[in-house]
Amino acid sequence: MVKPRLTGLIKIILLLCIYGVVRLLESRGLLLPYHVQVLSLCCINVILVVSLNLINGFTGQFSIGHAGFLAIGAYLSAFLTVKMHVPFLAAILCGGLLAGLAGLAVGLPALRLRGDYLAIATLGFGEIIRVIILNMEAVGGAKGFSGIPKYTTFGIAYLTAIITVVVIRNFVHSDYGRACLAVREDEIAAESLGVNSTYFKVLAFALGAFFAGTAGALFSHYLQYMAPTPSQIGFVKSIDILIMLVLGGLGSLTGSVIAAVVLTIIPELLRGFAEYRMIIYPILLIVVMLYLPAGLMAGRELSLDSLARLCKGVKSSAHYS
Amino acid sequence: MPTTAELMVSNLSVQFGGLKAVNEVSFSLQPQTLAGLIGPNGAGKTTIFNALTGLCPVSGGEISFGDQRLTNQPPHTIARCGVARTFQNIRLFKNLTVLDNLRIAYHKNRQYSLLCSLFRSPRYWREEEQITARAKEALELVGLATKAEHLAGSLPYGEQRRVEIARALMLSPKLLLLDEPAAGMNPQETLTLLELIRRLRNELKITILLIEHDMKLVMNLCERLFVLDYGHLIATGDPKAIQSNRRVVEAYLGGTGA
Amino acid sequence: MSWHIAALQQLVNGLALGSVYALIALGYTMVYGIIKLINFAHGEIYMLGAYFGFYALTLLNLSLLPAMLLSMAAAALVGVLLERVAYRPLRNSPRISVLITAIGASLLFQSTAQLVFGASFKPFPQAMPFRRIQLGPVFITNRQLLIFGVAVLLMILLHVLVTYTKFGKAMRAVARDKEAALLMGINVDRIISATFALGSALAATAGILVGMYYNRIDPYMGMMPGLKAFVAAVLGGIGMVPGAVLGGLLMGVAENLVVTLGSSTLRDAVAFAVLIVVLLFRPTGLLGKKGIEKV
């Protein structure tokens, strides 16, 4: 086993290296601005998927309205930077906070609903947010919100994604996260052990929504234009996020990260086959559910430990051969 | 810490639609007693446990524990009052490790705040270490120290029952409710269990109430018995008195020939 | 026109729209009743039904009734295949997996339709001349009458089928307890297939009726009505045939009244607001009975 201090250090160095490599390739002209854009989008999607994982994967609720939180963060932050000239970071935070409040509001019905009923209620909630935005002239209404400054750089998106993953990992590995797991596994047993299941469902929703809101703020200052369409802030987007989550595996953070990155890059590679993408995607989803119902990572995590073990395994088998 | 709280149940009734599953049952349990709740199938024993732990609504009567009123409180509040339980059909978190099952149950004693956990403050690390140590102690107590990293669902039945008891102990309960702890165990395991329950009461000084069909175990272990039949409490007393109680023999012992 | 006549007019329009919702909701409710699955792809079957009808009318030059029957049969086939391929292998999996599969199926139908039929809308052929009938202070079109007529007829047929036939009895038995039904010698798989066929056929009819009503069909037409019909099923009490009808009619009327009162863009939010309120205060729906949760 690798010592915790050491693994922490290795991870920080690795993360810095990734950043350094991207910047280096960018300065050498090997990565075009378009490529860096895609990488920023990867980071935004990582935040979305990981935060949904907290609600769906770790707490066992079934939300398919995550884009609603994204929409709140996206529009509020854009409104703040464009109309009120608020600094970007403050706008991100505000977007996250308002989305978190909305998460509280959705978490409340979650107390009474389970499984598919909750799913449909969250879907409805997301659509209500979209329709409300559609009717708000201050943020462009049906025409959409344009003229948003391009504040989202790769650096900011990358840093926010890392903070999100670390914070949610810390949450999951604390008493709070264990309480959420307990609620997911068996609500009655959890309650009988003193876990207030209501509280933890709402907490998970609020926290997940907060991060989705920050992702939204990054998203609107990345696209520079928001349209209140289902595919941008409606249930089509929610389902996109859900697909990434399910493919990566519910309850696996590394699975979420990998799936978010891969499923953001693949469509960009397949740009020429846009129509087929919309067919391949759902087929992939069905096939995974049929043959790999727990997703790519099946609730496990990829860690330095497991990598080290894998390397050792390869080495020792090489040695014997 | 030895418990001094007394469990008081007065005129407890539980109704499901038209059916009175528990009918005006009253009893009290002195601190540190080891008591049994027995009766034929469908007599309402588990329903009483569910009412005591807030898992089913009480339609009449009062439950108090020490100076706390438990009637119709939510289950997590009751757990926080010091009442822990196990379930007849084992409700472990099967996909989690044994250790995590136990650590979850330390929930009510956790001190660090949400922010501490999100940013892993020194306080978080210190307390997490304590929690893990406590969990290992509890596992040691039920003799499963080596199984900490196993998935709870992968253990054999008898061990799962012991994990569930250890998990209940993580709540530092004053009253422990065991729902058929020996069900599905072989004679050897039952014997170990009997020793364990006795030790828990003697060393931890807690009150224990158990539901059990294994009459040998009940008569050996319990100091006081409550007999239920069709939702009514038909007899109370020490095992000797119960064995010779005519109503009990008629309703229960005589019927099954046990 | 004073507002209450406008409201009355919207009531008529609402009932027409509502009976379409009811037809779709019946499929949701039957499937949910029997395998406890929200068949997300049901809205897409309704869309496919509309397209089948479209091609039967244009390519095959059929008249309305045979076109409708053909479309019903084709949609039934799609429904049965869908259950067979995507849902049956997951019958013993967690419900969430099946729900995700259903979402996947819905997306798949949508994008396939887009690829095969084209992304833009198609004008639906008019199988009957347009006529407006004055009924007191309000108007009703012959298409609305057709929608009512067909919807009511199908509902009566379905009711007779479920209540009085052996098949209906078997269906209700499977909905109650699959294992017990199996022990009673009921071919559960066949009953489930038949339920999908029945629900899909009803949705296909709804698709054709809506195509005629709005004069146009497109690959995305199933999304919103599908969701709303589901809401209607929940509103009435999911799993119950009369509930779906009641919920569908209420939903159609409520939506049209909101349009009269103000914004037509808020129309889509009504459905979901209704849904959330119902789920919070009466999760079993208007006609549903309260179940006891077992500990």
Side-chain angles (χ1 to χ4, degrees):
Chain A
M1 202 171 119
V2 196
K3 286 202 183 84
R5 275 269 162 75
L6 188 65
T7 54
L9 202 64
I10 295 176
K11 280 176 196 159
I12 290 172
I13 293 172
L14 268 177
L15 290 172
L16 282 174
C17 282
I18 294 177
Y19 182 73
V21 167
V22 169
R23 295 322 291 260
L24 187 75
L25 291 176
E26 194 187 0
S27 69
R28 289 289 164 86
L30 289 168
L31 277 181
L32 300 174
Y34 159 71
H35 295 133
V36 181
Q37 290 277 327
V38 173
L39 289 179
S40 304
L41 190 59
C42 284
C43 296
I44 295 171
N45 284 338
V46 164
I47 303 174
L48 288 170
V49 178
V50 166
S51 59
L52 184 63
N53 204 347
L54 178 63
I55 302 171
N56 287 16
F58 292 104
T59 316
Q61 304 305 296
F62 197 66
S63 167
I64 44 176
H66 215 49
F69 303 129
L70 166 108
I72 292 174
Y75 272 88
L76 178 67
S77 64
F79 179 77
L80 289 176
T81 55
V82 173
K83 303 264 160 91
M84 322 290 277
H85 308 290
V86 172
F88 185 39
L89 278 182
I92 296 180
L93 266 183
C94 290
L97 286 175
L98 187 66
L101 277 179
L104 276 182
V106 187
L108 289 172
L111 322 178
R112 283 160 163 259
L113 306 173
R114 275 151 233 273
D116 28 18
Y117 276 91
L118 176 63
I120 205 90
T122 53
L123 188 144
F125 167 81
E127 283 307 292
I128 288 176
I129 290 184
R130 190 177 70 80
V131 173
I132 289 174
I133 289 174
L134 196 68
N135 284 282
M136 271 167 75
E137 284 311 316
V139 291
K143 293 189 307 292
F145 195 159
S146 52
I148 306 170
K150 178 116 197 149
Y151 286 151
T152 303
T153 60
F154 172 69
I156 293 178
Y158 187 61
L159 186 68
T160 316
I162 291 174
I163 294 175
T164 306
V165 174
V166 169
V167 164
I168 289 182
R169 181 208 59 178
N170 289 354
F171 178 84
V172 169
H173 290 281
S174 73
D175 178 75
Y176 293 87
R178 285 195 295 266
C180 289
L181 289 178
V183 170
R184 175 190 81 186
E185 291 288 311
D186 185 336
E187 216 176 308
I188 288 171
E191 278 275 336
S192 81
L193 296 173
V195 174
N196 183 345
S197 53
T198 308
Y199 175 84
F200 284 96
K201 285 184 199 170
V202 176
L203 182 65
F205 263 102
L207 208 58
F210 171 82
F211 285 112
T214 61
L218 294 173
F219 191 54
S220 58
H221 292 82
Y222 160 87
L223 281 181
Q224 298 179 276
Y225 169 70
M226 292 302 292
T229 57
S231 60
Q232 205 168 92
I233 61 164
F235 70 89
V236 175
K237 180 77 185 171
S238 293
I239 287 172
D240 266 354
I241 306 171
L242 182 74
I243 290 175
M244 293 183 184
L245 173 65
V246 171
L247 289 185
L250 289 161
S252 166
L253 289 177
T254 40
S256 293
V257 174
I258 295 170
V261 171
V262 170
L263 290 185
T264 311
I265 292 178
I266 289 182
E268 297 297 330
L269 297 178
L270 293 179
R271 264 201 181 261
F273 315 91
E275 306 112 68
Y276 294 99
R277 180 193 138 204
M278 283 316 290
I279 292 186
I280 296 167
Y281 249 51
I283 291 180
L284 200 61
L285 190 67
I286 296 173
V287 168
V288 165
M289 277 298 112
L290 289 178
Y291 298 103
L292 209 69
L296 219 57
M297 297 296 292
R300 286 186 304 267
E301 296 289 355
L302 194 65
S303 67
L304 285 176
D305 266 355
S306 56
L307 278 180
R309 239 174 285 142
L310 203 68
C311 290
K312 247 184 227 158
V314 172
K315 245 190 250 159
S316 59
S317 64
H319 178 78
Y320 286 115
S321 62
Chain B
M1 187 176 46
T3 175
T4 53
E6 183 187 13
L7 176 71
M8 290 277 288
V9 176
S10 43
N11 300 318
L12 177 70
S13 293
V14 178
Q15 203 156 354
F16 296 125
L19 176 79
K20 269 208 163 174
V22 175
N23 205 341
E24 305 261 324
V25 167
S26 303
F27 66 91
S28 69
L29 205 52
Q30 291 303 312
Q32 299 175 46
T33 321
L34 215 172
L37 187 58
I38 60 173
N41 284 328
K45 305 179 297 285
T46 295
T47 307
I48 288 190
F49 267 27
N50 287 345
L52 287 177
T53 49
L55 290 179
C56 75
V58 169
S59 44
E62 286 289 326
I63 306 165
S64 66
F65 184 57
D67 48 10
Q68 287 151 322
R69 190 168 162 273
L70 302 188
T71 328
N72 284 331
Q73 293 291 319
H76 60 264
T77 311
I78 294 176
R80 281 165 177 270
C81 292
V83 181
R85 72 172 291 178
T86 65
F87 294 88
Q88 191 178 343
N89 43 350
I90 310 186
R91 279 181 176 266
L92 284 176
F93 307 119
K94 294 192 174 59
N95 301 314
L96 305 182
T97 63
V98 170
L99 195 62
D100 273 341
N101 265 276
L102 267 66
R103 290 201 290 196
I104 284 167
Y106 197 72
H107 180 68
K108 72 162 189 167
N109 300 317
R110 182 256 308 144
Q111 309 272 320
Y112 59 77
S113 67
L114 182 60
L115 281 178
C116 280
S117 81
L118 294 186
F119 300 105
R120 297 208 165 165
S121 69
R123 181 164 192 185
Y124 159 84
W125 286 110
R126 215 170 15 197
E127 247 188 270
E128 279 294 301
E129 245 168 64
Q130 284 170 12
I131 295 171
T132 308
R134 261 300 301 271
K136 290 198 166 147
E137 256 172 56
L139 277 181
E140 196 87 50
L141 193 69
V142 298
L144 290 171
T146 55
K147 303 285 170 99
E149 298 299 331
H150 286 62
L151 286 187
S154 70
L155 296 184
Y157 202 73
E159 291 183 0
Q160 287 196 21
R161 288 223 174 267
R162 267 144 67 202
V163 173
E164 213 188 9
I165 294 176
R167 185 176 73 175
L169 291 177
M170 287 294 285
L171 284 165
S172 345
K174 302 185 196 111
L175 171 64
L176 180 59
L177 306 172
L178 302 174
D179 199 344
E180 300 200 20
M185 284 188 172
N186 62 35
Q188 186 52 46
E189 286 176 318
T190 308
L191 214 61
T192 328
L193 179 77
L194 193 136
E195 283 312 311
L196 174 67
I197 295 175
R198 235 184 230 140
R199 263 180 62 203
L200 291 182
R201 200 276 308 267
N202 295 342
E203 286 174 20
L204 304 175
K205 311 262 184 265
I206 56 180
T207 316
I208 297 178
L209 178 62
L210 55 89
I211 294 175
E212 192 46 72
H213 283 296
D214 185 337
M215 276 309 128
K216 231 172 80 194
L217 179 114
V218 171
M219 295 300 168
N220 256 322
L221 191 60
C222 299
E223 294 143 1
R224 204 169 163 71
L225 290 178
F226 305 100
V227 189
L228 274 183
D229 192 25
Y230 292 111
H232 292 271
L233 188 68
I234 56 167
T236 310
D238 59 50
K240 276 238 168 68
I242 293 296
Q243 267 170 324
S244 52
N245 183 309
R246 199 177 49 83
R247 269 187 85 184
V248 175
V249 174
E250 252 170 40
Y252 185 70
L253 296 174
T256 61
Chain C
M1 198 156 59
S2 67
W3 73 267
H4 52 267
I5 294 183
L8 211 59
Q9 182 64 53
Q10 289 299 345
L11 186 72
V12 172
N13 298 349
L15 284 173
L17 183 65
S19 38
V20 171
Y21 286 156
L23 279 181
I24 311 175
L26 282 169
Y28 272 116
T29 237
M30 287 193 298
V31 165
Y32 191 90
I34 209 155
I35 54 170
K36 301 285 172 288
L37 164 72
I38 300 175
N39 180 10
F40 258 92
H42 193 61
E44 272 58 50
I45 291 189
Y46 148 89
M47 174 269 292
L48 288 178
Y51 272 96
F52 293 151
F54 172 83
Y55 287 113
L57 287 167
T58 54
L59 282 184
L60 305 178
N61 261 323
L62 293 177
S63 58
L64 187 58
L65 188 66
M68 216 176 238
L69 289 176
L70 187 67
S71 156
M72 284 169 90
L77 189 67
V78 173
V80 170
L81 280 176
L82 169 69
E83 191 271 332
R84 201 56 238 261
V85 174
Y87 301 158
R88 192 174 295 179
L90 289 170
R91 208 175 278 163
N92 297 316
S93 313
R95 273 163 69 183
I96 296 305
S97 312
V98 199
L99 192 61
I100 292 173
T101 312
I103 292 174
S106 150
L107 291 175
L108 182 62
F109 283 140
Q110 228 176 73
S111 30
T112 313
Q114 191 188 328
L115 206 65
V116 177
F117 308 134
S120 55
F121 75 89
K122 289 198 188 317
F124 203 84
Q126 286 314 305
M128 56 197 269
F130 180 77
R131 217 174 283 134
R132 227 152 79 125
I133 301 147
Q134 176 131 27
L135 206 76
V138 296
F139 289 99
I140 185 163
T141 67
N142 54 345
R143 289 176 204 162
Q144 283 175 330
L145 276 177
L146 178 76
I147 292 181
F148 278 139
V150 173
V152 169
L153 180 72
L154 286 176
M155 285 171 204
I156 291 173
L157 281 178
L158 182 72
H159 179 75
V160 170
L161 187 72
V162 171
T163 325
Y164 300 108
T165 64
K166 209 169 163 189
F167 166 73
K169 219 184 232 173
M171 199 171 127
R172 281 179 287 143
V174 175
R176 257 303 153 81
D177 189 333
K178 235 177 279 156
E179 266 107 64
L182 202 61
L183 290 176
M184 295 300 115
I186 295 172
N187 187 340
V188 171
D189 283 344
R190 229 172 64 205
I191 297 291
I192 292 177
S193 289
T195 307
F196 270 87
L198 216 55
S200 303
L202 292 177
T205 326
I208 293 178
L209 291 174
V210 164
M212 289 176 58
Y213 191 51
Y214 290 127
N215 281 329
R216 52 177 288 169
I217 55 175
D218 65 66
Y220 314 103
M221 65 183 278
M223 246 168 12
M224 271 300 153
L227 287 174
K228 286 176 188 166
F230 173 73
V231 173
V234 173
L235 174 63
I238 195 146
M240 284 178 310
V241 170
V245 175
L246 178 69
L249 291 178
L250 281 176
M251 192 77 151
V253 170
E255 260 186 24
N256 275 281
L257 286 182
V258 169
V259 174
T260 329
L261 290 177
S263 151
S264 58
T265 42
L266 279 179
R267 174 179 173 159
D268 286 347
V270 173
F272 297 109
V274 167
L275 172 76
I276 290 173
V277 170
V278 170
L279 287 179
L280 285 183
F281 296 105
R282 210 180 150 78
T284 50
L286 294 174
L287 302 182
K289 288 186 200 73
K290 226 182 145 180
I292 300 168
E293 201 180 337
K294 252 187 138 177
V295 175

